[in-house]
Amino acid sequence: VVLQNCHLAAFWMPQLELKCESVSIDRAHPQFRLWLTSYPSPSFPVSVLQDGIKMTNEPPLGIKANVLGTYHNLEETYFTECKKPEVL
């Protein structure tokens, strides 16, 4: 399960905390995983942060670095397999 942009749902954070606390290893499926994405937020439950594994992703500095990072992550097939006609 992936819940993205949790910082945008500050009103729901107390319910998320209760749901995370109610998950039991004995009752959960062995392959169950819960991924949460969020910007730093004072409304994010500390207990959820303490119980989970945290990963960070630092954004590139500036728009040029951001565009170059995106461009370098694309495969050549992204451009060559495009079905739209070329515009000159």
Side-chain angles (χ1 to χ4, degrees):
V1 176
V2 177
L3 301 176
Q4 293 183 308
N5 299 321
C6 291
H7 60 282
L8 298 177
F11 66 93
W12 191 68
M13 290 297 107
Q15 293 174 3
L16 173 65
E17 184 174 21
L18 292 173
K19 290 189 184 300
C20 288
E21 289 174 354
S22 71
V23 173
S24 169
I25 294 174
D26 300 331
R27 293 188 336 228
H29 189 279
Q31 294 181 346
F32 173 76
R33 301 294 184 269
L34 175 62
W35 290 79
L36 305 171
T37 68
S38 177
Y39 282 111
S41 171
S43 64
F44 204 93
V46 174
S47 65
V48 174
L49 290 172
Q50 290 173 338
D51 291 342
I53 298 172
K54 284 138 312 269
M55 297 171 41
T56 60
N57 184 15
E58 296 293 329
L61 299 175
I63 192 166
K64 182 178 180 180
N66 193 0
V67 170
L68 285 174
T70 300
Y71 179 75
H72 287 295
N73 286 331
L74 296 175
E75 300 286 331
E76 182 68 26
T77 57
Y78 179 82
F79 300 104
T80 58
E81 293 179 358
C82 179
K83 303 296 184 217
K84 291 186 177 183
E86 281 190 39
V87 177
L88 298 176

